[in-house]
Amino acid sequence: MLPGREPNGRAAAASGLSRLLGTRTAWTPVGDGEFFCPGCGGDRNYQRLTGQRRFSLLGVPVLPRGATGPVVECAACRRHFGTDVLDHPTTTRFSAMLRDAVHTVALAVLAAGGTCSRAALETAVTAVRAAGFDDCTEDQLASLVDDLAADTGRFTGEPCAAGLAIELHEALDPLAPHLAAAGRESILLQGARIALADGPYTPAERDALATVGAALTICSDDVTRLLTAARTPS
Ligand SMILES: [Zn+2]
């Protein structure tokens, strides 16, 4: 308290009492990492804390009142949040997920098309670069598609389909809940454009795009509508 500022009356009594008796929480760090802070809006470091609450007398903790938390404390704004904030990806993680998603969709559609045409590869490279893989080349994609065909063919005995479906779900399932409908549709449409670059959809390309749509939680009616719309130049 500042000198010369004596408390008086009821306020003094209340503040005196709260100094006398209170609850204190001692926080113990149990982990850390990076998260997207909803408080100050950005990728920040956090500490995961568990708390031990105690009644305190004269500022001295006396009786344990049980555990509290865990909470997540932002290193920048120091605000506390429930641990569910960790379910949201950081901006960095989110853009990596998006980049991987477009890359995987491009590979799946190319692989479904069988031998890669130049036009399909060019469209795929443009999409993958725009998604963040700046140094992606047509040769790179073509050789990845070959590897994929060899791998999945060896394990499943059939061309690509099963292995690709797994790859697509791995890349898209974790991303889908964090995307708005327009964002999910845009990924499917990028795949559709790659498929259409060398002519109408083949049945295998339709299958691959249907798997993309399902993994992105777009209902099959909407998938059909979007694939038709992509075919009609606007
Ligand atoms: Zn913050």
Side-chain angles (χ1 to χ4, degrees):
M1 187 178 307
L2 294 170
R5 252 199 92 213
E6 292 293 323
N8 50 38
R10 201 177 293 178
S15 99
L17 195 63
S18 80
R19 254 180 306 155
L20 201 64
L21 268 177
T23 314
R24 299 225 153 178
T25 307
W27 295 105
T28 314
V30 288
D32 54 30
E34 216 184 30
F35 81 132
F36 181 85
C37 176
C40 56
D43 292 354
R44 311 281 185 243
N45 291 319
Y46 71 81
Q47 274 201 315
R48 211 182 142 94
L49 308 168
T50 56
Q52 206 60 44
R53 293 195 304 161
R54 285 170 180 278
F55 277 124
S56 61
L57 185 62
L58 293 166
V60 179
V62 281
L63 287 169
R65 282 208 63 196
T68 181
V71 297
V72 168
E73 183 188 80
C74 173
C77 69
R78 297 281 166 199
R79 263 178 272 189
H80 286 187
F81 306 95
T83 49
D84 55 334
V85 290
L86 302 182
D87 297 342
H88 299 276
T90 60
T91 315
T92 312
R93 173 84 193 108
F94 181 75
S95 38
M97 284 160 83
L98 208 52
R99 205 175 55 199
D100 287 347
V102 173
H103 191 243
T104 310
V105 168
L107 284 180
V109 174
L110 287 173
T115 50
C116 301
S117 75
R118 249 323 112 173
L121 277 172
E122 273 169 22
T123 311
V125 164
T126 309
V128 171
R129 282 192 185 153
F133 283 117
D134 299 336
D135 48 2
C136 173
T137 65
E138 290 168 28
D139 289 346
Q140 229 175 49
L141 283 185
S143 79
L144 281 171
V145 170
D146 287 347
D147 291 352
L148 203 60
D151 265 2
T152 50
R154 191 171 64 230
F155 290 123
T156 65
E158 58 182 271
C160 302
L164 274 175
I166 295 169
E167 297 253 351
L168 283 171
H169 278 284
E170 275 177 0
L172 301 176
D173 289 355
L175 176 67
H178 304 292
L179 284 175
R184 288 183 276 123
E185 292 181 358
S186 138
I187 294 178
L188 178 66
L189 285 173
Q190 296 188 53
R193 275 183 220 113
I194 297 169
L196 291 169
D198 56 356
Y201 301 117
T202 64
E205 283 172 340
R206 274 193 176 277
D207 277 358
L209 290 166
T211 307
V212 170
L216 287 167
T217 66
I218 303 174
C219 73
S220 60
D221 286 352
D222 283 346
V223 170
T224 310
R225 177 179 58 79
L226 290 163
L227 294 190
T228 310
R231 219 170 37 189
T232 335
S234 51

